[in-house]
Amino acid sequence: MAADDDEDDYVEVDSSSGYDSYNGGVSEQCDTDLRSFLPPPYGNLTNVICKPIWNTFVLRYTQNEEHVMNIIVSALYTTGWVGIGFSRDGMMVGSSAMVGWVNKKGHARIHQYYLQGRKQSEVIQDKGELPLTNVPSSVVLHGATIYLAFQLKFSAMVSQQPILLAFGNAYPRHNHLSAHSDKTAVVFDFSAGSKSSAAATAGSDIGQTKKNHGVLGIIGWGLILPVGAIIPRYFRHKDPLWYYLHSVIQVVGFAIGLTTVLLGRQLYNKINANVPTHRGIGIFVLVLSILQVLAFFLRPNKEAKIRKYWNWYHHWFGRIALFFGALNIVLGIQIGDESFTIINHCFRSGNRRLI
């Protein structure tokens, strides 16, 4: 269906004021009176929790005892589209998103999309797993801010929920979304329900843990351990200096690698990330690392007959560990990029101005 097709439902666009109405304070947006421009029930909600969440995005919501949730997401808007997705594990694939925009004719659109895969053809319009109610969803452009409002009914109370936020500056064509200009993923705490205190949090700890996990993995397995492996190969003539350097560097690398695995375990417990290959390789590499540490304590004398076999064991287990450690770094980078992606395909030409 074309983006300009008049058969699409749309609401009246309120553009009574321009950028001057947006004073640059995102937190001040929570004081905006929604009754003057949002249709019911969104405009007259009570006990609304309002939280600046990312960039210029502000999230408002209510949640009652019947597990009905009203969501209003707003952001500074010029052109293009704005979206919010609900994910099981913080990743794009398999999530569902509500995306809204105002086309060149001034018509406001809002659709649910099922993010089946990473290709543009796998972002399916008017499909998804969000439990929308019969209350019509709405898009309103008020001044320089766009508002997406929709209602969901869950089977149970929603608390910690990974959500995806993104925007693109190019208009969708035939309702096919253009590439995002920026995006993020956060874990939002909806457990505040309809309480007056703003207890919702954006899950910044999760994002920091992901970052620490990745950085330490790159430093440990991508830098320190390979350097430690090079020492005995090219500096064996510096005996016994090479041995002490090799031992110290590898112990430091092992400690960093172990910390990386522990952080990965924390992430798995918090968001139950479905990354079996990355997780399995990480455990495998950790086991090899532990065996290498044990080899240090079981190192036989040079004159011992089994020294030859110990050397084979130590060298090949180390090489295998370094290979799979490097492979897992690549997989981790790909997973990290995917988890912060709502629409991940080739950028189109044109201006890419940030909101």
Side-chain angles (χ1 to χ4, degrees), residues 280-301:
I281 293 176
I283 295 173
F284 175 66
V285 171
L286 177 63
V287 171
L288 292 179
S289 302
I290 293 173
L291 292 176
Q292 288 293 81
V293 172
L294 293 176
F296 172 79
F297 295 102
L298 300 176
R299 182 171 180 253
N301 295 326

Side-chain angles (χ1 to χ4, degrees), residues 262-296:
L262 294 177
L263 289 175
R265 179 64 183 176
Q266 288 183 13
L267 287 172
Y268 180 79
N269 291 335
K270 290 179 179 179
I271 65 176
N272 195 26
N274 185 24
V275 286
T277 303
H278 181 67
R279 186 166 176 257
I281 293 176
I283 295 173
F284 175 66
V285 171
L286 177 63
V287 171
L288 292 179
S289 302
I290 293 173
L291 292 176
Q292 288 293 81
V293 172
L294 293 176
F296 172 79

Side-chain angles (χ1 to χ4, degrees), residues 155-315:
S155 59
M157 188 68 69
V158 179
S159 54
Q160 297 282 343
Q161 172 62 51
I163 61 176
L164 313 174
L165 302 166
F167 64 87
N169 289 317
Y171 290 111
R173 299 183 61 184
H174 305 289
N175 291 335
H176 295 298
L177 301 183
S178 60
H180 56 67
S181 298
D182 203 356
K183 77 286 184 187
T184 193
V186 299
V187 176
F188 195 88
D189 185 4
F190 288 98
S191 61
S194 59
K195 298 177 182 179
S196 59
S197 60
T201 61
S204 58
D205 289 343
I206 298 293
Q208 187 61 47
T209 302
K210 285 183 178 180
K211 183 182 295 185
N212 293 341
H213 174 72
V215 170
L216 289 177
I218 292 173
I219 293 175
W221 286 105
L223 180 63
I224 295 180
L225 288 172
V227 169
I230 291 173
I231 296 295
R233 184 175 182 85
Y234 296 101
F235 296 92
R236 193 174 290 272
H237 59 284
K238 301 288 185 180
D239 193 39
L241 178 61
W242 72 267
Y243 173 75
Y244 295 117
L245 286 176
H246 174 69
S247 301
V248 170
I249 291 174
Q250 297 306 78
V251 168
V252 172
F254 171 76
I256 295 176
L258 178 61
T259 304
T260 303
V261 174
L262 294 177
L263 289 175
R265 179 64 183 176
Q266 288 183 13
L267 287 172
Y268 180 79
N269 291 335
K270 290 179 179 179
I271 65 176
N272 195 26
N274 185 24
V275 286
T277 303
H278 181 67
R279 186 166 176 257
I281 293 176
I283 295 173
F284 175 66
V285 171
L286 177 63
V287 171
L288 292 179
S289 302
I290 293 173
L291 292 176
Q292 288 293 81
V293 172
L294 293 176
F296 172 79
F297 295 102
L298 300 176
R299 182 171 180 253
N301 295 326
K302 293 182 180 181
E303 296 78 14
K305 294 182 179 181
I306 63 171
R307 179 60 179 264
K308 176 177 66 174
Y309 302 103
W310 182 92
N311 286 334
W312 289 350
Y313 152 75
H314 184 61
H315 293 166

Side-chain angles (χ1 to χ4, degrees), residues 100-120:
W101 66 91
V102 179
N103 64 26
K104 295 179 181 179
K105 293 185 177 180
H107 295 167
R109 312 291 192 209
I110 184 168
H111 294 280
Q112 180 176 187
Y113 288 85
Y114 179 60
L115 311 180
Q116 187 178 45
R118 302 176 64 181
K119 299 179 181 178
Q120 185 181 16

